Structure formats: C-alpha cells, structure tokens
Amino acid sequence: VQLQASGGGLVQAGGSLRLSCAVSGLPGSSYGMGWFRQAPGKDREFVARISWSARRTDHADSVKGRFTINRDSAKNTGYQQMNSLKPEDTAVYYCAATKPYSDYGGSFEYWGQGTQVTVSS
C-alpha cells in the first residue's frame, strides 16, 4: 500500500490550496481516509477524515468551515480543499488510510510521506 500526498506550497493568508492523496494497493472505495498535520515543535494533530463510503466526514474545530475533505473512488484519490488559510495552518500535512472496510472510528494503518503547507501573513 502506498499513499502519495501532493499539492502543498507557499500561499498568502486568506488563500487556498487543494491537497491530493493518491492511493495504490487498496480497492478504491474500501478504506477510510484522513488528513493530519504537524507543525514545527508540535505534535501531529487530526485535521479531517472521511468514511470509506464517503457518506460521513469529520473536521477538527480549528478547520471547520474552511477545509473540506472529499474523495474520488474511481481515481483512488482523496482531497482536502483548504480555503481562508491562516499562518497557524502552516505544517506538514499527511494523508492516511484505514484497512479496508474498517469501522468509521478505526485506526489509520497506512501513511503518506507528507506535503509542506506554508501560509505567510
């Protein structure tokens, strides 16, 4: 199983980015997906997750109303649309996937390599 995150970059505060996570080695609509982030000197934190059916999503309070997680099962790719970015959103963003057909709250077993997002003020 491999996860390849991309789409990070440098953006001014108030701007937008869309992160992508291409997954290989898992059936397209079988796994839950999540996004996490880690800022320098801080612990990794949860950002958002989506169920394998795409019928359920959750977002951290810090990003609600600004970030949206979704997926395209046909492309075996997940996305995170990030709008109204703030300097405190600066971090390395990681995508992750659960084992196939796990319960919604199941742990993330597979991780991508991370993509840097930097928001300037």
Short mmCIF file of all heavy atoms in Angstrom, two decimals, residues 9-17 37 66-67 82-91 93 116-121:
data_model
loop_
_atom_site.label_atom_id
_atom_site.label_comp_id
_atom_site.label_asym_id
_atom_site.label_seq_id
_atom_site.Cartn_x
_atom_site.Cartn_y
_atom_site.Cartn_z
N GLY A 9 2.38 23.89 -0.70
CA GLY A 9 3.11 25.01 -1.25
C GLY A 9 3.07 26.20 -0.34
O GLY A 9 2.67 26.10 0.82
N LEU A 10 3.50 27.33 -0.88
CA LEU A 10 3.51 28.60 -0.15
C LEU A 10 2.34 29.45 -0.63
O LEU A 10 2.16 29.64 -1.84
CB LEU A 10 4.83 29.32 -0.39
CG LEU A 10 4.96 30.74 0.17
CD1 LEU A 10 4.88 30.72 1.69
CD2 LEU A 10 6.26 31.38 -0.29
N VAL A 11 1.55 29.96 0.30
CA VAL A 11 0.39 30.77 -0.05
C VAL A 11 0.24 31.88 0.97
O VAL A 11 0.64 31.73 2.13
CB VAL A 11 -0.88 29.88 -0.11
CG1 VAL A 11 -1.20 29.29 1.25
CG2 VAL A 11 -2.06 30.62 -0.70
N GLN A 12 -0.33 32.98 0.55
CA GLN A 12 -0.58 34.08 1.48
C GLN A 12 -1.82 33.79 2.32
O GLN A 12 -2.71 33.04 1.90
CB GLN A 12 -0.76 35.38 0.72
CG GLN A 12 0.52 35.92 0.10
CD GLN A 12 0.32 37.30 -0.49
OE1 GLN A 12 -0.77 37.66 -0.92
NE2 GLN A 12 1.40 38.08 -0.51
N ALA A 13 -1.87 34.39 3.47
CA ALA A 13 -3.04 34.25 4.33
C ALA A 13 -4.30 34.65 3.56
O ALA A 13 -4.30 35.63 2.81
CB ALA A 13 -2.90 35.11 5.57
N GLY A 14 -5.35 33.86 3.73
CA GLY A 14 -6.59 34.08 3.00
C GLY A 14 -6.67 33.31 1.70
O GLY A 14 -7.74 33.25 1.08
N GLY A 15 -5.57 32.72 1.29
CA GLY A 15 -5.53 31.97 0.05
C GLY A 15 -6.04 30.55 0.20
O GLY A 15 -6.51 30.15 1.28
N SER A 16 -5.93 29.78 -0.88
CA SER A 16 -6.45 28.42 -0.93
C SER A 16 -5.42 27.47 -1.52
O SER A 16 -4.57 27.86 -2.33
CB SER A 16 -7.72 28.36 -1.79
OG SER A 16 -8.75 29.15 -1.25
N LEU A 17 -5.53 26.22 -1.11
CA LEU A 17 -4.75 25.12 -1.69
C LEU A 17 -5.64 23.89 -1.69
O LEU A 17 -6.54 23.75 -0.86
CB LEU A 17 -3.49 24.82 -0.86
CG LEU A 17 -2.30 25.77 -0.96
CD1 LEU A 17 -1.25 25.38 0.08
CD2 LEU A 17 -1.70 25.76 -2.36
N ARG A 37 -1.83 16.85 10.42
CA ARG A 37 -0.77 17.82 10.19
C ARG A 37 0.14 17.92 11.40
O ARG A 37 -0.26 17.62 12.52
CB ARG A 37 -1.34 19.19 9.84
CG ARG A 37 -2.10 19.87 10.97
CD ARG A 37 -2.76 21.15 10.46
NE ARG A 37 -3.48 21.86 11.52
CZ ARG A 37 -4.24 22.93 11.32
NH1 ARG A 37 -4.37 23.43 10.09
NH2 ARG A 37 -4.85 23.51 12.34
N ARG A 66 -13.64 25.92 6.78
CA ARG A 66 -12.55 26.37 5.89
C ARG A 66 -11.99 25.22 5.06
O ARG A 66 -11.63 25.42 3.90
CB ARG A 66 -11.42 27.00 6.70
CG ARG A 66 -11.85 28.20 7.52
CD ARG A 66 -10.64 28.91 8.14
NE ARG A 66 -9.91 28.04 9.07
CZ ARG A 66 -8.62 27.73 8.93
NH1 ARG A 66 -7.92 28.20 7.90
NH2 ARG A 66 -8.03 26.95 9.83
N PHE A 67 -11.89 24.03 5.65
CA PHE A 67 -11.33 22.86 4.97
C PHE A 67 -12.46 21.88 4.65
O PHE A 67 -13.41 21.74 5.43
CB PHE A 67 -10.31 22.15 5.84
CG PHE A 67 -9.03 22.89 6.08
CD1 PHE A 67 -8.88 24.23 5.77
CD2 PHE A 67 -7.95 22.22 6.66
CE1 PHE A 67 -7.69 24.89 6.00
CE2 PHE A 67 -6.76 22.88 6.89
CZ PHE A 67 -6.63 24.21 6.57
N MET A 82 -8.56 23.48 1.02
CA MET A 82 -8.26 24.36 2.15
C MET A 82 -8.44 25.80 1.71
O MET A 82 -7.70 26.28 0.83
CB MET A 82 -6.83 24.11 2.64
CG MET A 82 -6.55 22.65 2.97
SD MET A 82 -4.95 22.38 3.74
CE MET A 82 -3.85 22.93 2.45
N ASN A 83 -9.42 26.46 2.28
CA ASN A 83 -9.71 27.86 1.97
C ASN A 83 -9.45 28.75 3.18
O ASN A 83 -9.34 28.26 4.30
CB ASN A 83 -11.17 28.01 1.53
CG ASN A 83 -11.49 27.21 0.28
OD1 ASN A 83 -10.65 27.04 -0.60
ND2 ASN A 83 -12.72 26.71 0.20
N SER A 84 -9.37 30.03 2.95
CA SER A 84 -9.17 31.00 4.03
C SER A 84 -8.02 30.59 4.93
O SER A 84 -8.13 30.59 6.16
CB SER A 84 -10.46 31.16 4.84
OG SER A 84 -11.53 31.55 4.03
N LEU A 85 -6.91 30.24 4.32
CA LEU A 85 -5.77 29.74 5.08
C LEU A 85 -5.20 30.81 6.00
O LEU A 85 -5.19 32.01 5.68
CB LEU A 85 -4.70 29.23 4.13
CG LEU A 85 -5.00 27.84 3.53
CD1 LEU A 85 -4.19 27.59 2.27
CD2 LEU A 85 -4.74 26.76 4.57
N LYS A 86 -4.72 30.34 7.14
CA LYS A 86 -4.14 31.21 8.17
C LYS A 86 -2.69 30.79 8.42
O LYS A 86 -2.33 29.63 8.19
CB LYS A 86 -4.93 31.07 9.47
CG LYS A 86 -6.41 31.34 9.34
CD LYS A 86 -7.12 31.07 10.68
CE LYS A 86 -8.62 31.31 10.57
NZ LYS A 86 -9.31 31.03 11.86
N PRO A 87 -1.87 31.71 8.93
CA PRO A 87 -0.48 31.33 9.24
C PRO A 87 -0.40 30.12 10.18
O PRO A 87 0.53 29.31 10.04
CB PRO A 87 0.08 32.60 9.89
CG PRO A 87 -0.70 33.70 9.24
CD PRO A 87 -2.08 33.15 9.08
N GLU A 88 -1.36 29.98 11.08
CA GLU A 88 -1.32 28.84 12.00
C GLU A 88 -1.66 27.51 11.33
O GLU A 88 -1.58 26.46 11.97
CB GLU A 88 -2.26 29.09 13.19
CG GLU A 88 -3.67 29.49 12.82
CD GLU A 88 -3.87 31.00 12.85
OE1 GLU A 88 -2.98 31.75 12.37
OE2 GLU A 88 -4.94 31.43 13.37
N ASP A 89 -2.05 27.54 10.08
CA ASP A 89 -2.24 26.30 9.32
C ASP A 89 -0.92 25.76 8.76
O ASP A 89 -0.90 24.66 8.19
CB ASP A 89 -3.21 26.52 8.16
CG ASP A 89 -4.62 26.86 8.61
OD1 ASP A 89 -5.10 26.24 9.58
OD2 ASP A 89 -5.24 27.75 7.99
N THR A 90 0.15 26.51 8.91
CA THR A 90 1.45 26.07 8.42
C THR A 90 1.87 24.79 9.10
O THR A 90 1.90 24.71 10.33
CB THR A 90 2.51 27.16 8.66
OG1 THR A 90 2.18 28.31 7.86
CG2 THR A 90 3.89 26.67 8.29
N ALA A 91 2.16 23.77 8.30
CA ALA A 91 2.51 22.45 8.84
C ALA A 91 2.84 21.52 7.68
O ALA A 91 2.60 21.84 6.51
CB ALA A 91 1.35 21.87 9.64
N TYR A 93 1.48 18.28 6.07
CA TYR A 93 0.20 17.59 6.04
C TYR A 93 0.40 16.16 5.53
O TYR A 93 1.05 15.94 4.50
CB TYR A 93 -0.78 18.34 5.13
CG TYR A 93 -1.33 19.58 5.79
CD1 TYR A 93 -0.53 20.71 5.99
CD2 TYR A 93 -2.65 19.62 6.25
CE1 TYR A 93 -1.04 21.84 6.61
CE2 TYR A 93 -3.16 20.75 6.87
CZ TYR A 93 -2.34 21.85 7.05
OH TYR A 93 -2.85 22.97 7.67
N GLN A 116 4.37 19.85 2.47
CA GLN A 116 4.51 21.07 3.28
C GLN A 116 3.53 22.15 2.82
O GLN A 116 3.45 22.46 1.61
CB GLN A 116 5.94 21.62 3.15
CG GLN A 116 6.18 22.93 3.87
CD GLN A 116 6.18 22.80 5.37
OE1 GLN A 116 6.81 21.89 5.93
NE2 GLN A 116 5.48 23.69 6.06
N VAL A 117 2.84 22.72 3.77
CA VAL A 117 1.98 23.88 3.53
C VAL A 117 2.51 25.03 4.37
O VAL A 117 2.65 24.88 5.59
CB VAL A 117 0.51 23.57 3.88
CG1 VAL A 117 -0.32 24.84 3.82
CG2 VAL A 117 -0.05 22.51 2.95
N THR A 118 2.81 26.13 3.73
CA THR A 118 3.30 27.32 4.42
C THR A 118 2.40 28.49 4.08
O THR A 118 2.21 28.80 2.90
CB THR A 118 4.75 27.63 4.02
OG1 THR A 118 5.57 26.49 4.31
CG2 THR A 118 5.28 28.82 4.81
N VAL A 119 1.86 29.12 5.11
CA VAL A 119 0.97 30.26 4.92
C VAL A 119 1.65 31.50 5.49
O VAL A 119 1.95 31.55 6.68
CB VAL A 119 -0.38 30.02 5.62
CG1 VAL A 119 -1.34 31.18 5.32
CG2 VAL A 119 -1.00 28.70 5.18
N SER A 120 1.89 32.46 4.64
CA SER A 120 2.55 33.69 5.06
C SER A 120 1.53 34.74 5.46
O SER A 120 0.43 34.80 4.91
CB SER A 120 3.44 34.22 3.95
OG SER A 120 2.65 34.57 2.81
N SER A 121 1.92 35.57 6.41
CA SER A 121 0.99 36.60 6.90
C SER A 121 1.11 37.89 6.10
O SER A 121 2.00 38.06 5.30
CB SER A 121 1.24 36.88 8.37
OG SER A 121 2.59 37.26 8.56
#
